[in-house]
Amino acid sequence: MRASTLRSLRSRLFFAAVLLSPITSPAQSDSKFKSNYVVSVRDLKLAGKGHAAFDKGSHLLDKGDTAGSIAYLERAISESPEHYMAYYDLGVARFRLGQLAEAEQAFQKAIDLTGGGFAPPQFGLGAIFCQKREYLQAERILQRGVELESGSAVGKYYLAWAQLGLNRLVEAERSAEQALVRNANLAEAYLLLARIHQRERNTPAVARDLEVYLKLDPRKDFARRLADKIQQEMAQDTAASVIAAIRP
């Protein structure tokens, strides 16, 4: 398989992901993630169709030129309508630009073309459903993705987010911890744990989660603002509880 294809098999969805929720998207993907999707006859046919445009678009996406990648990825799709990796990368690009409807369509097309046998677009679609607070749909598709790629920290992270949205706190905590087992440096999983522990009113655990998060997240100013926001919410919850306790 071509080196560029192997690079594109890494889950790149979450590089510089658009922040559309109080919970952040992971700043980086699973660093060594590669799909176990079996090379098929279709893959071999794709090798000679649209690969130049795809390689260019994929390269631009890796370099951070998200807007510039789109024209090449769309050209690859026009030259090879079954190019599921081009659809996946297009979904990544659209997601980064905050174009959720277009990203959703691209991810769904990649899922359809692979018969649901390729995990990354399922994680992408699950991420969009989480952003849209459609947590039940998110959980269903993320569960399928995790079944395909059980070692994915990103998959477990978004599954935890969906479970938190469904108020299934025990499951959400377990999934977030499993994400950290797979990638101990996934800072956003600690922030998500802080949200879970906050809802459980476990203040000491929230403090620990935030401490680790701030150590791991290189964007100190951004991380501090998020941590301060959670701490303010905790203070408000505590004040409300005290008032409720002393009210006759």
Side-chain angles (χ1 to χ4, degrees):
M1 186 177 290
R2 298 161 58 90
S4 61
T5 302
L6 286 176
R7 285 197 302 274
S8 67
L9 286 174
R10 297 191 179 103
S11 178
R12 297 175 306 202
L13 173 61
F14 307 101
F15 283 88
V18 180
L19 303 182
L20 301 177
S21 166
I23 302 175
T24 62
S25 300
Q28 293 192 9
S29 64
D30 305 328
S31 60
K32 296 183 180 178
F33 176 85
K34 293 182 182 178
S35 172
N36 290 326
Y37 185 68
V38 178
V39 177
S40 66
V41 173
R42 178 177 61 243
D43 296 313
L44 297 177
K45 289 180 179 178
L46 290 178
K49 295 181 179 180
H51 67 81
F54 172 72
D55 285 352
K56 179 64 175 179
S58 177
H59 177 74
L60 291 173
L61 193 60
D62 280 338
K63 295 296 184 181
D65 185 1
T66 302
S69 71
I70 290 177
Y72 291 97
L73 295 171
E74 290 180 338
R75 184 189 304 172
I77 289 169
S78 68
E79 294 175 359
S80 180
E82 293 188 354
H83 205 313
Y84 66 92
M85 283 305 310
Y87 274 108
Y88 168 67
D89 279 2
L90 182 61
V92 172
R94 295 295 190 186
F95 183 88
R96 289 184 187 176
L97 295 173
Q99 300 167 356
L100 297 191
E102 295 85 349
E104 182 176 342
Q105 292 175 2
F107 288 138
Q108 186 61 61
K109 186 64 175 181
I111 292 169
D112 294 342
L113 287 172
T114 59
F118 183 42
Q122 299 189 52
F123 296 150
L125 196 54
I128 290 173
F129 287 146
C130 283
Q131 299 278 20
K132 294 165 62 177
R133 300 187 179 185
E134 297 175 5
Y135 297 119
L136 188 59
Q137 287 180 276
E139 185 193 36
R140 288 172 179 167
I141 195 164
L142 288 164
Q143 287 281 19
R144 293 198 295 268
V146 168
E147 288 173 4
L148 290 171
E149 294 292 346
S150 60
S152 171
V154 165
K156 285 289 186 179
Y157 168 87
Y158 274 104
L159 181 59
W161 185 348
Q163 291 164 338
L164 173 61
L166 294 169
N167 204 36
R168 297 213 292 269
L169 301 184
V170 173
E171 295 174 54
E173 184 174 6
R174 181 169 59 247
S175 294
E177 289 174 346
Q178 290 172 345
L180 288 168
V181 168
R182 288 155 176 76
N183 182 357
N185 294 318
L186 188 63
E188 289 78 2
Y190 284 102
L191 184 62
L192 181 56
L193 275 174
R195 294 276 184 190
I196 296 167
H197 290 144
Q198 179 187 16
R199 193 171 295 183
E200 293 174 337
R201 301 186 183 279
N202 186 346
T203 302
V206 174
R208 290 194 299 270
D209 298 333
L210 292 176
E211 181 180 3
V212 178
Y213 173 67
L214 289 168
K215 289 179 180 178
L216 289 174
D217 196 323
R219 300 164 297 176
K220 292 297 184 182
D221 292 340
F222 175 69
R224 176 59 62 187
R225 289 197 297 272
L226 288 173
D228 288 345
K229 178 178 174 61
I230 291 179
Q231 289 168 340
Q232 289 170 6
E233 291 173 357
M234 288 171 55
Q236 291 170 358
D237 290 345
T238 300
S241 298
V242 171
I243 292 172
I246 64 176
R247 182 174 296 165

